[in-house]
Amino acid sequence: MTKPATLDPRPHGFDAWRAREDFPILKTEAHGKPLVYLDSAASAQKPRAVIEAVRHVYEAEYANIHRGVYELSEKTTAAFEGAREKVRAFLNAPEAREILFVRGATEGINLVAQSFGRAFLKEGDEIILSALEHHSNIVPWQLLRDITGIVLRVVPVNNAGELEIDAYAELLNTRTRLVAMTHVSNAIGTVTPIHDIVRLAHERGVPVLVDGCQAVPHQKVDVQDFDCDFYVFSGHKLYGPSGIGVLYGKAKHLEAMPPYQGGGDMIRSVTFEKTDYNVIPHKFEAGTPHIAGAIGLGAAIDYLEGLGIPEIMAHEQAVLHYATERLSRIRGLRPIGTAREKASILSFVLDRAHPHDVGTVLDGEGVAIRTGHHCAQPLMERFGIPATARASFGLYNTPEDVDALAAGLEKVLEIFG
Amino acid sequence: MLDLKDLYQEVIIDHSKRPRHFGKLADSNREAEGFNPLCGDRLTVKLIVEDGLVKNVAFEGVGCAISTASASMMTDMVIGKTEAEARALFQQFQELVTRKEPPTAAELTTLDKLAALTGVRAFPSRVKCATLAWHTLAAALDQRHEAVKTE
């Protein structure tokens, strides 16, 4: 089969083969075979630029931030706040104070649930989620429900795994207080129509939180264009360090919301009688944050902007297209999630072998994929399966990786044929 | 190098494709449900126990080749055994697939066809697949009613 022309390295375009050189781990082996890493949706590998940036912090520029009067602390503070500005520009947020550093998307969603939710929602109020959600955008709302008595409503998906937008429009009503929706499904790759989701909610004055974990590595995100009220993502899925993530929130919401955690840096003054809180974003950043993580995330953003996010997206879509076509020729393979608009995530089941056995056989071939329910059990239930095998493609994946996956799947059929 | 032939031996593939004692069991007097939250695998084990003797066993559910084969072989092995013997076999099997030292020749002889499953020792993420049916069997023998979880 001939490879699509867009996959050929181009002198002035994006060259995945060249980019692979930036990722030291891709030179390692698994079970004596070259590593073929197809699990970037779980966590992306790190380019040297990120590894070096983190190392540089600890070797040359490390002290606590927002505290020291000495030069070193001022340098670290500048680097940390510089990373916040990089995130602002990356999301095209209006102001840097609308960017909160958190541990990851999970903490970002929990922050909104516990702060916004407990302050402004009451019994009988409704939140709309979708059947595509990761557990991290389900369970925080269930915890809130157990405290406040709110009601969770779920937008269904069709057989292709696409959000049923008409059903969503019908679920919106006078009791709806928040919509919390994924931008891209981690389990099956569906891209949801965020513009329509936000527009329909805003027509009723309902704010929208978007889980952007699986979107930011694959496409340009502009929170002003979406006009969403909150947007969360994790650094480690964006080729940055783990333990750092971002919650963007419109200033009007963040200013009205009470603090999520108490501690140092989030206060202006403390007496045992009364505490005055700091301004945003600091009001929500109690304690010493993951300083090196934030700076590493800034380096990841620089790296991706340097390659060009539209170029990365075009490459990944070409690899996805090639993989979809290539895997369709594997006997007994059924793709799960066939939305018209998909990020580079390919979930499937084989009629002859359980996903766990597929994963183990592929592992023996050096091919790393994810198997299981992908922290999206309600979605698995929707498709009547306990689990899928999932290959997800990052900027460094090539058609050769797809060929290795296909060869591994042939091996699965040899064993279970 | 990982040798998949150690894991997916012919006898395992055979039991996974044609599981023995798979399906319903009329007149069962003990049962339990097992669940592996990591992969979503779920199975039910039903028993007929009379006078301390396992007269018949059956299982139902969905699972990977390892968990299905393990359940199938288990049913073959425990029919006709006393409750105590079935429990002892579970203990021994559990120990052999989780401990560091490889099984001795004598141990492999006692395990009989279950010996084929000791290949999971090289695959730590798959040990729970091999033991799910056994945990469920133990729960059924104990007449515990909550679902058994491997986590």
Side-chain angles (χ1 to χ4, degrees), chain B residues 11-32:
Chain B
V11 57
I12 292 179
I13 300 290
D14 177 57
H15 274 269
S16 76
K17 282 188 179 162
R18 298 187 304 114
R20 324 295 197 259
H21 311 104
F22 184 84
K24 309 222 177 293
L25 183 62
D27 306 324
S28 63
N29 55 9
R30 307 273 179 94
E31 72 171 89

Side-chain angles (χ1 to χ4, degrees), chain A residues 31 354 356-357 360 373 415-416, chain B residues 8 17 37 39 41 65 126:
Chain A
H31 305 299
H354 186 280
H356 263 200
D357 297 311
T360 295
H373 52 60
I415 295 174
F416 294 97
Chain B
Y8 296 116
K17 282 188 179 162
C39 57
D41 285 358
R126 305 304 302 275

Side-chain angles (χ1 to χ4, degrees), chain A residues 291-313:
Chain A
I291 299 168
I295 294 169
L297 174 58
I301 289 172
D302 284 345
Y303 175 76
L304 294 171
E305 301 276 16
L307 294 176
I309 290 175
E311 287 78 9
I312 292 171
M313 182 180 176

Side-chain angles (χ1 to χ4, degrees), chain A residues 14-205:
Chain A
F14 174 69
D15 180 348
W17 288 264
R18 165 66 202 79
R20 290 179 68 83
E21 300 294 318
D22 299 334
F23 292 80
I25 207 165
L26 297 180
K27 297 230 182 331
T28 62
E29 295 188 333
H31 305 299
K33 309 254 172 77
L35 173 67
V36 177
Y37 188 73
L38 299 178
D39 199 17
S40 297
S43 201
Q45 299 297 348
K46 317 307 173 197
R48 199 171 278 107
V50 169
I51 298 166
E52 289 300 325
V54 171
R55 183 218 289 267
H56 178 76
V57 175
Y58 290 127
E59 287 188 351
E61 247 177 24
Y62 185 77
N64 212 331
I65 55 166
H66 302 146
R67 286 166 177 77
V69 294
Y70 47 91
E71 187 191 19
L72 191 59
S73 172
E74 284 169 1
K75 269 191 185 169
T76 314
T77 303
F80 182 80
E81 291 303 326
R84 195 190 306 276
E85 170 55 28
K86 285 176 190 178
V87 173
R88 184 209 64 75
F90 179 67
L91 295 178
N92 191 32
E95 300 180 71
R97 67 190 182 114
E98 296 173 306
I99 303 298
L100 312 187
F101 283 122
V102 288
R103 279 191 295 143
T106 296
E107 188 178 48
I109 296 169
N110 276 278
L111 189 159
V112 176
Q114 292 300 317
S115 169
F116 181 93
R118 289 176 78 161
F120 305 130
L121 302 188
K122 58 181 192 310
E123 190 172 353
D125 286 350
E126 295 183 6
I127 294 184
I128 297 180
L129 314 174
S130 85
L132 294 167
E133 303 312 316
H134 187 282
H135 296 165
S136 61
N137 199 24
I138 299 173
V139 184
W141 307 113
Q142 292 175 328
L143 292 171
L144 179 67
R145 176 188 63 192
D146 295 345
I147 294 167
T148 61
I150 58 163
V151 177
L152 306 184
R153 310 293 296 268
V154 182
V155 185
V157 295
N158 63 20
N159 290 337
E162 293 165 325
L163 195 78
E164 293 193 4
I165 194 81
D166 294 342
Y168 166 69
E170 277 173 32
L171 282 177
L172 281 161
N173 67 58
T174 53
R175 293 180 302 280
T176 312
R177 294 288 174 271
L178 184 73
V179 172
M181 199 81 75
T182 191
H183 191 175
V184 172
S185 157
N186 72 302
I188 60 172
T190 307
V191 179
T192 60
I194 289 297
H195 283 105
D196 295 338
I197 289 164
V198 173
R199 180 178 50 77
L200 288 164
H202 282 185
E203 279 172 8
R204 291 180 170 273

